[in-house]
């Protein structure tokens, strides 16, 4: 491809450097000789130019974006063909992508994260108003210009809602890190799917990492279908409850609970930004610019000093394009969890109609009320790290737990605020021990067993992955305790590598 550098397209655009390459096209920094300015050119690969589907997709991108004129969308300037190879000329954005920025900084300030989310949402709102769904919203597709303002690009698989003739072909077109559950399942998607993906982008800005990891893209997509995002406040404690609630609503798997459209989302993001800025008393980076664009009603939340001393700008944009994962998931993947297929891994299928309760990574607590109060506290988070290769273990009891004069020892999970769990899945490398499962309501953790606890299940852990049905009698509890009453024969401790609670999927 680099051999094309120095070439002139249609006698007008000189290709100066290759700046990106994808499966179907290459992006060049180029110079428009007529207007004497820098542009970005996306040139379709020669092989693709003879493939009518790819050609149509490429032209569709140009047509879609050409309809949009928005400060936070990378604009199309021109299109053309040179020796049968079509190209699109875009405005040149000098700067880095949002993905690069997250990688560079680890995670972004909370107010700046919200500011970018607002800018991107405004761009998506403009696209949706033209019946264009981006379908691949991800930080790689958000360019940050010299002022720090976000611009959404790559409407490559964007589809007009009216474009019924063109359906996704089931190929995985890109990463599934940001895919909405309905898109992963191959359902028709609308603007709400972009809202979900933007929620994942916001999560990544706030935490520095995407919410789900898996062995491959399908495993990650399945998690988007089946698992709640990790608790944002556990990962980034300074995030306000308002921001956490907005993020929850952006990423709700249930379309009836997710934001119905971008204007509703933008209003809440703006409110959240004002609250975060008022809490910290300052604003950073792009947040300073976006705060100036907030409606007067929202600005009133800010301290006087912040309302009146800030330069103006705005931001946003981004859009992505989707993935069509489709049937693979629908067929077999959906009812399985991130079934570790690697060596030594065990996996517990989540019972049908249930989904895993997301708990904070710091929520497990070892529990030894009848002893020294400690049972390998340093290992306790391992039971929720989704890695069956790491385990928490009890202390060593050569003569068994009862032999140490105790009725039991255990570990409990804090499912804050509360949940009506229907099953508890336990994974262990060494089965054979006996457990009783207790639950307790919100409030302080009972300081002994069984007082204050309600027995909801239990039995012998007779397999490396064991699911216990729970009987909570319709009550939502906050704490779920795995109380180990008897070690396996010949064992001096008990090990638990994973504990997962499941709740019913709402009908
Ligand atoms: O691969 P990196 O992150 O260095 O920034 C975009 C990305 O760079 C750049 O091309 C790469 C693949 O998308 N890019 C895309 N559109 C651009 C534009 N309009 C652009 N750079 C400047 N202006």
């Amino acid at each position: 491809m680099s051999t094309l550098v120095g070439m002139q397209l249609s006698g007008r655009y000189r290709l100066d450097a290759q700046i990106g390459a994808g499966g179907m096209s290459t992006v060049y920094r180029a110079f428009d000789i007529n207007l004497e300015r820098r542009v970005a050119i996306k040139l379709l690969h020669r092989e693709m130019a003879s493939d009518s589907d790819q050609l149509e997709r490429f032209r569709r991108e140009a047509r879609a974006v050409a309809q949009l004129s928005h400060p936070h969308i990378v604009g199309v300037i021109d299109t053309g063909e040179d020796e049968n190879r079509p190209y699109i000329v875009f405005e040149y954005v000098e700067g880095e992508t949002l993905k690069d920025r997250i990688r560079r900084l680890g995670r972004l300030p909370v107010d700046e994260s919200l500011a970018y989310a607002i800018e991107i949402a405004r761009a998506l709102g403009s696209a949706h108003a033209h019946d264009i769904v981006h379908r691949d919203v991800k930080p790689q597709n958000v360019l940050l210009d010299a002022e720090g303002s976000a611009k959404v690009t790559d409407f490559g698989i964007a589809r007009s809602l009216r474009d019924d003739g063109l359906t996704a072909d089931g190929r995985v077109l890109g990463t599934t890190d940001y895919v909405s559950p309905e898109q992963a399942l191959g359902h028709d998607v609308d603007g709400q799917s972009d809202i979900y993906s933007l929620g994942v982008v916001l999560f990544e800005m706030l935490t520095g990492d995407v919410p789900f990891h898996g062995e491959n893209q399908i495993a990650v997509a399945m998690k988007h279908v089946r698992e709640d995002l990790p608790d944002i406040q556990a990962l980034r404690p300074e995030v306000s409850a308002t921001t956490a609630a907005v993020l929850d609503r952006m990423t709700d798997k249930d379309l009836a609970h997710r934001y119905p459209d971008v204007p509703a989302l933008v209003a809440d993001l703006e409110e959240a930004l004002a609250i975060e800025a008022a809490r910290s008393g300052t604003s950073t980076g792009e947040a300073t610019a976006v705060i100036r664009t907030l409606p007067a009603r929202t600005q009133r939340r800010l301290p006087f000093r912040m309302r009146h001393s800030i330069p103006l700008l705005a931001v946003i944009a981004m859009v992505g394009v989707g993935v069509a994962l489709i049937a693979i998931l629908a067929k077999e993947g959906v009812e399985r969890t991130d079934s570790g297929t690697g060596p030594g891994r065990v996996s517990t299928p989540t019972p049908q109609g249930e989904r895993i309760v997301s708990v904070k990574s710091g929520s497990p607590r070892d529990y030894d009320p009848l002893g020294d109060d400690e049972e390998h506290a340093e290992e306790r988070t391992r039971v929720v790290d989704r890695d069956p290769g790491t385990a928490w273990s009890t202390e060593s009891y050569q003569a068994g737990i009862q032999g140490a004069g105790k009725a039991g020892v255990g570990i409990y999970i804090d499912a804050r605020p509360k949940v009506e769990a229907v099953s508890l899945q336990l994974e262990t490398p060494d089965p054979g021990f006996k457990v009783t499962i207790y639950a307790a309501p919100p409030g302080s953790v009972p300081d002994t067993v069984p007082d204050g606890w309600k027995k909801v299940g239990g039995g012998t852990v007779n397999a490396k992955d064991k699911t216990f049905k729970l009987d909570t009698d319709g009550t939502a509890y906050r704490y779920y305790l795995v109380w180990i009453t008897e070690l396996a024969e010949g064992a001096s401790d008990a090990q638990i590598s994973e504990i997962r609670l499941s709740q019913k999927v709402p009908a």
Side-chain angles (χ1 to χ4, degrees):
M1 291 300 140
S2 53
T3 50
L4 297 180
V5 168
M7 238 186 76
Q8 215 158 291
L9 295 183
S10 310
R12 174 167 177 184
Y13 302 107
R14 187 186 70 221
L15 302 182
D16 284 343
Q18 184 180 321
I19 54 176
M24 56 182 284
S25 59
T26 306
V27 182
Y28 293 89
R29 173 163 58 75
F31 190 74
D32 177 346
I33 294 163
N34 288 4
L35 293 176
E36 297 191 347
R37 63 174 179 178
R38 208 170 249 198
V39 291
I41 291 195
K42 199 174 198 178
L43 183 65
L44 194 64
H45 291 163
R46 194 176 286 287
E47 319 79 81
M48 298 291 171
S50 52
D51 176 332
S52 58
D53 282 353
Q54 297 299 341
L55 198 59
E56 177 50 27
R57 189 180 143 195
F58 195 74
R59 290 189 173 136
R60 193 154 20 105
E61 174 182 0
R63 278 199 303 270
V65 191
Q67 289 182 52
L68 308 173
S69 167
H70 191 274
H72 299 300
I73 294 179
V74 179
V76 168
I77 294 171
D78 190 14
T79 61
E81 245 170 61
D82 187 277
E83 294 182 11
N84 294 326
R85 293 180 63 182
Y87 60 85
I88 307 173
V89 185
F90 291 95
E91 65 172 300
Y92 185 79
V93 181
E94 182 85 58
E96 61 183 348
T97 67
L98 181 58
K99 186 76 175 180
D100 297 332
R101 185 167 177 80
I102 297 169
R103 280 204 193 105
R104 196 160 55 76
L105 299 179
R107 56 193 200 176
L108 308 187
V110 175
D111 59 351
E112 189 181 310
S113 304
L114 285 165
Y116 283 132
I118 291 169
E119 293 183 312
I120 297 162
R122 288 177 184 163
L124 293 174
S126 163
H128 295 175
H130 287 83
D131 283 336
I132 292 166
V133 182
H134 190 292
R135 300 166 61 102
D136 194 18
V137 175
K138 57 185 180 186
Q140 293 87 332
N141 286 337
V142 179
L143 308 182
L144 305 178
D145 70 13
E147 278 83 41
S149 172
K151 282 171 175 282
V152 178
T153 187
D154 207 350
F155 283 75
I157 61 173
R159 203 145 67 89
S160 161
L161 293 175
R162 298 197 188 105
D163 242 352
D164 286 331
L166 286 155
T167 53
D169 59 3
R171 281 188 322 131
V172 176
L173 293 166
T175 173
T176 57
D177 284 344
Y178 310 90
V179 75
S180 70
E182 62 274 22
Q183 193 174 13
L185 290 170
H187 298 166
D188 282 347
V189 301
D190 62 14
Q192 277 186 290
S193 176
D194 284 348
I195 290 176
Y196 181 94
S197 302
L198 176 56
V200 179
V201 174
L202 176 57
F203 179 96
E204 185 182 3
M205 288 192 278
L206 291 169
T207 65
D209 198 10
V210 293
F212 300 125
H213 295 276
E215 290 178 356
N216 52 46
Q217 302 206 328
I218 292 173
V220 173
M222 286 187 322
K223 291 184 182 186
H224 281 288
V225 173
R226 307 183 61 253
E227 292 180 29
D228 287 334
L229 267 62
D231 187 317
I232 192 72
Q233 286 183 298
L235 296 167
R236 190 85 190 259
E238 71 262 41
V239 165
S240 69
T242 306
T243 300
V246 175
L247 184 60
D248 276 355
R249 217 179 141 199
M250 293 174 82
T251 52
D252 204 302
K253 298 185 196 315
D254 183 346
L255 292 171
H257 292 150
R258 198 181 304 160
Y259 283 103
D261 52 36
V262 169
L265 165 66
V266 168
D268 279 8
L269 284 170
E270 289 175 342
E271 192 85 2
L273 172 59
I275 287 168
E276 299 287 359
R279 266 162 63 117
S280 70
T282 61
S283 63
T284 57
E286 196 56 13
T288 310
V290 174
I291 283 170
R292 287 295 297 261
T293 70
L294 298 181
R297 171 180 42 81
T298 310
Q299 287 218 5
R300 279 198 284 275
R301 289 189 167 277
L302 295 166
F304 181 84
R305 182 177 46 78
M306 293 185 77
R307 272 179 271 159
H308 297 278
S309 64
I310 301 162
L312 163 66
L313 254 194
V315 191
I316 231 206
M318 162 177 189
V319 172
V321 183
V323 168
L325 243 197
I326 303 198
I328 319 160
L329 274 169
K331 276 205 201 97
E332 50 163 327
V334 186
E335 291 308 327
R336 323 206 104 246
T337 185
D338 55 328
S339 48
T341 49
R345 302 190 78 183
V346 288
S347 73
T348 315
T350 303
Q352 197 141 14
E354 296 180 20
R355 85 169 182 231
I356 293 169
V357 176
S358 166
V359 296
K360 295 182 174 190
S361 55
S363 88
R365 287 276 181 279
D366 46 305
Y367 188 66
D368 182 21
L370 310 168
D372 62 359
D373 261 327
E374 250 252 7
E375 282 297 299
H376 286 157
E378 76 286 356
E379 296 174 344
R380 63 197 183 195
T381 57
R382 295 181 182 172
V383 301
V384 295
D385 66 0
R386 305 273 161 93
D387 182 355
T390 62
W392 164 85
S393 78
T394 64
E395 286 173 3
S396 180
Y397 294 95
Q398 299 300 337
I401 293 175
Q402 320 278 337
K406 297 182 189 180
V409 296
I411 187 162
Y412 67 83
I413 304 269
D414 181 350
R416 196 168 69 99
K418 60 183 177 175
V419 64
E420 197 184 321
V422 293
S423 67
L424 183 147
Q425 301 161 264
L426 195 152
E427 295 190 14
T428 176
D430 292 309
F433 54 96
K434 285 192 179 143
V435 302
T436 304
I437 300 168
Y438 289 104
S444 52
V445 179
D447 49 24
T448 186
V449 175
D451 293 352
W453 292 98
K454 153 123 177 104
K455 182 177 168 187
V456 292
T460 302
V461 181
N462 52 11
K464 288 191 171 181
D465 46 27
K466 172 79 179 172
T467 299
F468 291 103
K469 287 280 161 225
L470 303 184
D471 178 12
T472 58
D473 214 359
T475 309
Y477 290 102
R478 172 166 171 181
Y479 304 101
Y480 288 84
L481 169 66
V482 176
W483 182 243
I484 301 164
T485 54
E486 220 177 289
L487 301 181
E489 208 167 343
S492 57
D493 65 11
Q495 300 193 31
I496 299 179
S497 49
E498 289 298 307
I499 298 175
R500 291 187 212 126
L501 290 171
S502 297
Q503 63 190 131
K504 278 251 170 311
V505 177

